[in-house]
Amino acid sequence: TVADLLDAGAGVCQDFVHLALGLLRELGVASRYCSGYLFVEKSGARSVEVETHAWLEVLLPTSAGDGVWVAFDPTNRGLVGDRHVKIGHGRWYSDVPPVRGIFRGPAGGELTADVVMTRLDTDGATLPPR
């Protein structure tokens, strides 16, 4: 709950996004939940195994009278950048979970999946290690 999050003073990305969505929507600001991956470089590696990540987008007005979606990552306290890869957006987590489906296997079976991201140069070539 929000009370649990505030009492603990800590949470995961989904917690921070849901809290921000609630506050923004209470103020009448259009906002949406984003699900994806965040590339976090480890020891100079260009390919890393990644976990799912969440952030939000807010519809901000422009001088032209329309709006532009701006993405914020409350967990990392900043704007979303080229290390974020969005796989979907919706109202809440339940609209865009990173994995959805049916497992058809033995009752004692276990399903695992790994996601590896590789950072590429603008021409598509793998960047050399630093």
Side-chain angles (χ1 to χ4, degrees):
T1 67
V2 171
D4 292 335
L5 175 63
L6 296 176
D7 287 344
V12 297
C13 57
Q14 295 171 12
D15 299 327
F16 300 127
V17 171
H18 281 120
L19 176 61
L21 289 172
L23 293 170
L24 289 163
R25 291 174 182 165
E26 182 67 25
L27 295 171
V29 178
S31 51
R32 59 192 182 192
Y33 183 100
C34 297
S35 181
Y37 298 97
L38 175 62
F39 182 91
V40 178
E41 192 172 313
K42 297 175 185 164
S43 304
R46 293 298 176 177
S47 291
V48 295
E49 189 172 327
V50 294
E51 302 286 331
T52 59
H53 190 58
W55 58 92
L56 65 121
E57 292 177 339
V58 178
L59 185 61
L60 298 178
T62 65
S63 58
D66 54 356
V68 61
W69 288 99
V70 179
F72 297 94
D73 184 346
T75 307
N76 293 297
R77 299 180 181 161
L79 295 172
V80 168
D82 63 355
R83 298 181 312 123
H84 293 77
V85 175
K86 183 167 96 171
I87 58 173
H89 63 258
R91 297 164 298 168
W92 307 101
Y93 170 84
S94 59
D95 290 338
V96 287
V99 178
R100 183 182 291 171
I102 297 171
F103 174 67
R104 293 180 187 225
E110 185 175 309
L111 177 65
T112 62
D114 299 319
V115 175
V116 176
M117 290 178 69
T118 301
R119 191 163 182 142
L120 302 177
D121 198 351
T122 55
D123 65 1
T126 303
L127 290 171
R130 291 185 194 180

